[in-house]
Amino acid sequence: MPYSLKDKHVLIVGGGSDIAAALAGDLLREGAGVTLAGRNAEKTTAAAKAIGDAVRPIALDLSDEESIGAAADQVRAAGGLDHLVSAATERGNAPVRSLERRALLAAFDAKVVGPILLAKHFAPLIAEAGSLLFFSGLAAWRPSPGLVAMAATNGSVSTLASALAVELAPTRVNALSPGVIDTSNWDAVVPDKQKLFQHIAASAPARRVGDPSDVSAAACALLTNPYITGETLHVDGGARWS
Ligand SMILES: NC(=O)c1ccc[n+]([C@@H]2O[C@H](COP(=O)([O-])OP(=O)(O)OC[C@H]3O[C@@H](n4cnc5c(N)ncnc54)[C@H](OP(=O)(O)O)[C@@H]3O)[C@@H](O)[C@H]2O)c1
């Protein structure tokens, strides 16, 4: 049965995010093995422990190719993997006139350069019928002032998924583009996230913002469906059309 995640091994990069945690939990319940990768060892170990004792933490910094290569060596030694997901992001949000090169490069490292290097080092380790999944986001498809870095990086993710799907075939490569998802990091972005969410929900066709479980369910579909590759799946409650 190709649609099963049972006994598959999935590596999730950017493991500190709520979306990564939701996906890791769902994967465990489906019988998959999960490795969580993050740039901060202590934080990643704590995040893995919070999800379950079976989750293995490893160190991986998307802005450092040596660290990506070392993580790939560890995964190879442990027997390879079936799927790799990168849910990492560095937002780099600022009006373009005050945007700093350093922040812009960090955003591209997390979402574009890092994922390309993940493909370079990990694609050879992916088992038959396996896949890579990268995270895009609504900012690419509904640009807003002040989100130029986010729009450009998320748009690039979609392009790199189709380019890699062609080059790495038959390994599948897809992108997932969430809309506004109720995750804890919003607390640092706006003073009252519930007020913002109500405003967004009022005009969104789904009439609500997303939950990490919405994203996780869509990610599992992309990981398991053997006939989807080079695709960007929008999980935004129709927000692109509102
Ligand atoms: N939440 C939303 O509303 C929303 C909307 C659209 C798209 N998305 C996309 O969905 C994905 C998950 O979102 P989220 O909001 O759950 O993310 P998040 O909470 O901001 O977490 C992002 C993660 O990326 C990690 N990261 C950043 N730079 C890294 C690097 N160089 N190497 C390794 N890890 C790095 C961070 O590590 P540290 O913990 O060390 O900082 C953090 O764990 C992201 O790709 C995001 O763009 C989310």
Side-chain angles (χ1 to χ4, degrees):
M1 167 65 173
Y3 296 89
S4 170
L5 284 158
K6 188 162 169 34
D7 297 329
K8 302 296 182 196
H9 187 192
V10 185
L11 171 69
I12 306 176
V13 181
S17 87
D18 289 355
I19 289 174
L23 176 59
D26 283 348
L27 291 169
L28 286 184
R29 283 184 284 279
E30 291 295 316
V34 179
T35 299
L36 215 56
R39 59 185 166 177
N40 177 319
E42 216 172 291
K43 204 170 160 185
T44 309
T45 303
K49 217 173 167 47
I51 298 162
D53 286 339
V55 179
R56 195 164 69 98
I58 61 168
L60 191 159
D61 183 344
L62 287 162
S63 66
D64 175 1
E65 184 170 5
E66 231 174 79
S67 143
I68 295 172
D73 288 343
Q74 267 182 271
V75 169
R76 184 184 294 105
L81 79 166
D82 295 282
H83 303 284
L84 181 151
V85 180
S86 183
T89 187
E90 274 283 358
R91 292 181 173 74
N93 291 335
V96 73
R97 285 184 185 185
S98 55
L99 199 49
E100 288 181 11
R101 180 176 163 78
R102 195 176 43 82
L104 198 51
L105 293 182
F108 271 88
D109 271 339
K111 280 245 161 168
V112 185
V113 181
I116 293 172
L117 295 174
L118 287 175
K120 172 180 169 182
H121 289 274
F122 283 90
L125 312 183
I126 302 261
E128 197 185 331
S131 70
L132 304 171
L133 174 60
F134 300 121
F135 271 66
S136 175
L138 180 64
W141 322 99
R142 278 215 59 180
S144 304
L147 303 187
V148 167
M150 202 182 240
T153 53
N154 283 332
S156 300
V157 172
S158 188
T159 303
L160 82 85
S162 32
L164 287 172
V166 171
E167 180 164 334
L168 299 177
T171 296
R172 296 179 299 108
V173 187
N174 289 298
L176 190 158
S177 179
V180 173
I181 309 297
D182 187 352
T183 46
S184 52
N185 60 65
W186 277 101
D187 294 318
V189 177
V190 286
D192 184 351
K193 74 172 180 182
Q194 292 310 333
K195 199 168 163 195
L196 173 72
F197 289 169
Q198 277 168 16
H199 175 73
I200 290 167
S203 62
R207 296 290 186 265
R208 66 173 176 87
V209 298
D211 183 82
S213 62
D214 298 320
V215 179
S216 172
C220 290
L222 289 173
L223 296 184
T224 52
N225 193 310
Y227 204 50
I228 303 180
T229 190
E231 197 54 80
T232 297
L233 179 59
H234 298 273
V235 186
D236 61 10
R240 276 166 305 141
W241 317 123
S242 61

